[in-house]
PDB file of all heavy atoms in Angstrom:
ATOM      1  N   LEU A 144     232.155   6.390 163.660  1.00 96.00           N
ATOM      2  CA  LEU A 144     233.611   6.250 163.668  1.00 96.00           C
ATOM      3  C   LEU A 144     234.198   7.555 164.187  1.00 96.00           C
ATOM      4  O   LEU A 144     234.027   8.614 163.575  1.00 96.00           O
ATOM      5  CB  LEU A 144     234.145   5.946 162.267  1.00 96.00           C
ATOM      6  CG  LEU A 144     235.670   5.857 162.123  1.00 96.00           C
ATOM      7  CD1 LEU A 144     236.262   4.782 163.030  1.00 96.00           C
ATOM      8  CD2 LEU A 144     236.060   5.600 160.666  1.00 96.00           C
ATOM      9  N   TYR A 145     234.876   7.457 165.333  1.00 96.00           N
ATOM     10  CA  TYR A 145     235.480   8.634 165.967  1.00 96.00           C
ATOM     11  C   TYR A 145     236.988   8.609 165.741  1.00 96.00           C
ATOM     12  O   TYR A 145     237.650   7.606 166.038  1.00 96.00           O
ATOM     13  CB  TYR A 145     235.194   8.636 167.468  1.00 96.00           C
ATOM     14  CG  TYR A 145     233.722   8.651 167.806  1.00 96.00           C
ATOM     15  CD1 TYR A 145     233.020   7.466 168.015  1.00 96.00           C
ATOM     16  CD2 TYR A 145     233.023   9.852 167.915  1.00 96.00           C
ATOM     17  CE1 TYR A 145     231.674   7.466 168.329  1.00 96.00           C
ATOM     18  CE2 TYR A 145     231.670   9.868 168.224  1.00 96.00           C
ATOM     19  CZ  TYR A 145     231.009   8.671 168.432  1.00 96.00           C
ATOM     20  OH  TYR A 145     229.665   8.686 168.734  1.00 96.00           O
ATOM     21  N   ILE A 146     237.519   9.707 165.235  1.00 96.00           N
ATOM     22  CA  ILE A 146     238.966   9.853 165.041  1.00 96.00           C
ATOM     23  C   ILE A 146     239.396  11.140 165.733  1.00 96.00           C
ATOM     24  O   ILE A 146     238.895  12.223 165.402  1.00 96.00           O
ATOM     25  CB  ILE A 146     239.328   9.890 163.546  1.00 96.00           C
ATOM     26  CG1 ILE A 146     238.881   8.595 162.859  1.00 96.00           C
ATOM     27  CG2 ILE A 146     240.833  10.086 163.361  1.00 96.00           C
ATOM     28  CD1 ILE A 146     239.017   8.609 161.349  1.00 96.00           C
ATOM     29  N   ASN A 147     240.285  11.004 166.698  1.00 96.00           N
ATOM     30  CA  ASN A 147     240.769  12.148 167.465  1.00 96.00           C
ATOM     31  C   ASN A 147     242.268  12.276 167.273  1.00 96.00           C
ATOM     32  O   ASN A 147     243.041  11.416 167.710  1.00 96.00           O
ATOM     33  CB  ASN A 147     240.437  11.984 168.950  1.00 96.00           C
ATOM     34  CG  ASN A 147     238.941  11.909 169.199  1.00 96.00           C
ATOM     35  OD1 ASN A 147     238.197  12.765 168.754  1.00 96.00           O
ATOM     36  ND2 ASN A 147     238.494  10.874 169.894  1.00 96.00           N
ATOM     37  N   THR A 148     242.685  13.346 166.595  1.00 96.00           N
ATOM     38  CA  THR A 148     244.108  13.530 166.317  1.00 96.00           C
ATOM     39  C   THR A 148     244.840  13.974 167.578  1.00 96.00           C
ATOM     40  O   THR A 148     244.265  14.617 168.464  1.00 96.00           O
ATOM     41  CB  THR A 148     244.322  14.580 165.214  1.00 96.00           C
ATOM     42  OG1 THR A 148     243.767  15.838 165.644  1.00 96.00           O
ATOM     43  CG2 THR A 148     243.637  14.155 163.923  1.00 96.00           C
ATOM     44  N   ASP A 149     246.125  13.639 167.649  1.00 95.00           N
ATOM     45  CA  ASP A 149     246.927  14.015 168.818  1.00 95.00           C
ATOM     46  C   ASP A 149     247.022  15.524 168.967  1.00 95.00           C
ATOM     47  O   ASP A 149     247.105  16.046 170.078  1.00 95.00           O
ATOM     48  CB  ASP A 149     248.341  13.419 168.705  1.00 95.00           C
ATOM     49  CG  ASP A 149     248.352  11.908 168.900  1.00 95.00           C
ATOM     50  OD1 ASP A 149     247.259  11.321 169.101  1.00 95.00           O
ATOM     51  OD2 ASP A 149     249.443  11.303 168.866  1.00 95.00           O
ATOM     52  N   SER A 150     247.014  16.243 167.860  1.00 95.00           N
ATOM     53  CA  SER A 150     247.117  17.704 167.905  1.00 95.00           C
ATOM     54  C   SER A 150     245.778  18.367 168.191  1.00 95.00           C
ATOM     55  O   SER A 150     245.726  19.557 168.503  1.00 95.00           O
ATOM     56  CB  SER A 150     247.656  18.228 166.576  1.00 95.00           C
ATOM     57  OG  SER A 150     246.698  18.031 165.540  1.00 95.00           O
ATOM     58  N   GLY A 151     244.680  17.599 168.060  1.00 93.00           N
ATOM     59  CA  GLY A 151     243.354  18.174 168.233  1.00 93.00           C
ATOM     60  C   GLY A 151     242.859  18.949 167.031  1.00 93.00           C
ATOM     61  O   GLY A 151     241.834  19.628 167.093  1.00 93.00           O
ATOM     62  N   SER A 152     243.588  18.852 165.918  1.00 93.00           N
ATOM     63  CA  SER A 152     243.228  19.622 164.717  1.00 93.00           C
ATOM     64  C   SER A 152     243.427  18.766 163.475  1.00 93.00           C
ATOM     65  O   SER A 152     244.241  17.844 163.465  1.00 93.00           O
ATOM     66  CB  SER A 152     244.094  20.881 164.631  1.00 93.00           C
ATOM     67  OG  SER A 152     243.927  21.529 163.378  1.00 93.00           O
ATOM     68  N   MET A 153     242.678  19.102 162.418  1.00 94.00           N
ATOM     69  CA  MET A 153     242.856  18.475 161.112  1.00 94.00           C
ATOM     70  C   MET A 153     243.439  19.458 160.113  1.00 94.00           C
ATOM     71  O   MET A 153     243.527  19.158 158.920  1.00 94.00           O
ATOM     72  CB  MET A 153     241.514  17.958 160.602  1.00 94.00           C
ATOM     73  CG  MET A 153     241.003  16.717 161.302  1.00 94.00           C
ATOM     74  SD  MET A 153     241.998  15.247 160.946  1.00 94.00           S
ATOM     75  CE  MET A 153     241.617  14.999 159.208  1.00 94.00           C
ATOM     76  N   ASP A 154     243.865  20.624 160.567  1.00 93.00           N
ATOM     77  CA  ASP A 154     244.323  21.686 159.662  1.00 93.00           C
ATOM     78  C   ASP A 154     245.517  21.243 158.818  1.00 93.00           C
ATOM     79  O   ASP A 154     245.567  21.497 157.604  1.00 93.00           O
ATOM     80  CB  ASP A 154     244.697  22.936 160.452  1.00 93.00           C
ATOM     81  CG  ASP A 154     243.470  23.629 161.043  1.00 93.00           C
ATOM     82  OD1 ASP A 154     242.342  23.259 160.638  1.00 93.00           O
ATOM     83  OD2 ASP A 154     243.643  24.506 161.907  1.00 93.00           O
ATOM     84  N   ALA A 155     246.513  20.596 159.438  1.00 94.00           N
ATOM     85  CA  ALA A 155     247.714  20.191 158.701  1.00 94.00           C
ATOM     86  C   ALA A 155     247.387  19.123 157.670  1.00 94.00           C
ATOM     87  O   ALA A 155     247.917  19.130 156.555  1.00 94.00           O
ATOM     88  CB  ALA A 155     248.785  19.691 159.671  1.00 94.00           C
ATOM     89  N   VAL A 156     246.512  18.196 158.018  1.00 94.00           N
ATOM     90  CA  VAL A 156     246.100  17.151 157.073  1.00 94.00           C
ATOM     91  C   VAL A 156     245.368  17.785 155.894  1.00 94.00           C
ATOM     92  O   VAL A 156     245.649  17.488 154.725  1.00 94.00           O
ATOM     93  CB  VAL A 156     245.200  16.107 157.767  1.00 94.00           C
ATOM     94  CG1 VAL A 156     244.629  15.123 156.737  1.00 94.00           C
ATOM     95  CG2 VAL A 156     245.978  15.353 158.832  1.00 94.00           C
ATOM     96  N   ASN A 157     244.428  18.674 156.190  1.00 92.00           N
ATOM     97  CA  ASN A 157     243.626  19.291 155.127  1.00 92.00           C
ATOM     98  C   ASN A 157     244.440  20.237 154.252  1.00 92.00           C
ATOM     99  O   ASN A 157     244.070  20.504 153.107  1.00 92.00           O
ATOM    100  CB  ASN A 157     242.445  20.039 155.743  1.00 92.00           C
ATOM    101  CG  ASN A 157     241.418  19.098 156.357  1.00 92.00           C
ATOM    102  OD1 ASN A 157     241.327  17.934 155.978  1.00 92.00           O
ATOM    103  ND2 ASN A 157     240.663  19.598 157.313  1.00 92.00           N
ATOM    104  N   ALA A 158     245.558  20.732 154.782  1.00 91.00           N
ATOM    105  CA  ALA A 158     246.408  21.647 154.000  1.00 91.00           C
ATOM    106  C   ALA A 158     247.400  20.907 153.116  1.00 91.00           C
ATOM    107  O   ALA A 158     248.032  21.518 152.251  1.00 91.00           O
ATOM    108  CB  ALA A 158     247.167  22.581 154.940  1.00 91.00           C
ATOM    109  N   SER A 159     247.537  19.598 153.299  1.00 91.00           N
ATOM    110  CA  SER A 159     248.506  18.813 152.535  1.00 91.00           C
ATOM    111  C   SER A 159     247.882  18.398 151.195  1.00 91.00           C
ATOM    112  O   SER A 159     247.171  17.389 151.107  1.00 91.00           O
ATOM    113  CB  SER A 159     248.923  17.571 153.339  1.00 91.00           C
ATOM    114  OG  SER A 159     249.840  16.791 152.620  1.00 91.00           O
ATOM    115  N   THR A 160     248.161  19.154 150.148  1.00 89.00           N
ATOM    116  CA  THR A 160     247.523  18.900 148.851  1.00 89.00           C
ATOM    117  C   THR A 160     247.994  17.603 148.208  1.00 89.00           C
ATOM    118  O   THR A 160     247.274  17.013 147.397  1.00 89.00           O
ATOM    119  CB  THR A 160     247.793  20.071 147.894  1.00 89.00           C
ATOM    120  OG1 THR A 160     249.209  20.283 147.781  1.00 89.00           O
ATOM    121  CG2 THR A 160     247.132  21.339 148.415  1.00 89.00           C
ATOM    122  N   ASP A 161     249.216  17.154 148.553  1.00 91.00           N
ATOM    123  CA  ASP A 161     249.714  15.910 147.960  1.00 91.00           C
ATOM    124  C   ASP A 161     249.544  14.716 148.899  1.00 91.00           C
ATOM    125  O   ASP A 161     250.073  13.634 148.640  1.00 91.00           O
ATOM    126  CB  ASP A 161     251.192  16.059 147.571  1.00 91.00           C
ATOM    127  CG  ASP A 161     252.084  16.366 148.767  1.00 91.00           C
ATOM    128  OD1 ASP A 161     251.557  16.533 149.899  1.00 91.00           O
ATOM    129  OD2 ASP A 161     253.315  16.442 148.587  1.00 91.00           O
ATOM    130  N   HIS A 162     248.830  14.913 149.997  1.00 92.00           N
ATOM    131  CA  HIS A 162     248.539  13.850 150.962  1.00 92.00           C
ATOM    132  C   HIS A 162     249.802  13.275 151.616  1.00 92.00           C
ATOM    133  O   HIS A 162     249.788  12.134 152.093  1.00 92.00           O
ATOM    134  CB  HIS A 162     247.746  12.710 150.318  1.00 92.00           C
ATOM    135  CG  HIS A 162     246.595  13.164 149.486  1.00 92.00           C
ATOM    136  ND1 HIS A 162     245.748  14.182 149.857  1.00 92.00           N
ATOM    137  CD2 HIS A 162     246.150  12.740 148.260  1.00 92.00           C
ATOM    138  CE1 HIS A 162     244.831  14.365 148.917  1.00 92.00           C
ATOM    139  NE2 HIS A 162     245.054  13.514 147.941  1.00 92.00           N
ATOM    140  N   SER A 163     250.873  14.030 151.629  1.00 93.00           N
ATOM    141  CA  SER A 163     252.121  13.510 152.203  1.00 93.00           C
ATOM    142  C   SER A 163     252.135  13.592 153.725  1.00 93.00           C
ATOM    143  O   SER A 163     252.912  12.892 154.379  1.00 93.00           O
ATOM    144  CB  SER A 163     253.323  14.287 151.647  1.00 93.00           C
ATOM    145  OG  SER A 163     253.211  15.672 151.954  1.00 93.00           O
ATOM    146  N   TYR A 164     251.287  14.446 154.279  1.00 95.00           N
ATOM    147  CA  TYR A 164     251.284  14.619 155.737  1.00 95.00           C
ATOM    148  C   TYR A 164     250.251  13.692 156.362  1.00 95.00           C
ATOM    149  O   TYR A 164     249.084  13.660 155.956  1.00 95.00           O
ATOM    150  CB  TYR A 164     250.970  16.059 156.125  1.00 95.00           C
ATOM    151  CG  TYR A 164     250.957  16.262 157.625  1.00 95.00           C
ATOM    152  CD1 TYR A 164     252.143  16.430 158.324  1.00 95.00           C
ATOM    153  CD2 TYR A 164     249.760  16.265 158.331  1.00 95.00           C
ATOM    154  CE1 TYR A 164     252.136  16.598 159.702  1.00 95.00           C
ATOM    155  CE2 TYR A 164     249.743  16.441 159.708  1.00 95.00           C
ATOM    156  CZ  TYR A 164     250.933  16.607 160.387  1.00 95.00           C
ATOM    157  OH  TYR A 164     250.913  16.756 161.748  1.00 95.00           O
TER     158      TYR A 164
END
Side-chain angles (χ1 to χ4, degrees):
L144 177 59
Y145 301 92
I146 300 172
N147 298 308
T148 60
D149 289 1
S150 68
S152 170
M153 287 291 292
D154 290 348
V156 173
N157 291 336
S159 179
T160 56
D161 61 356
H162 314 318
S163 59
Y164 180 81

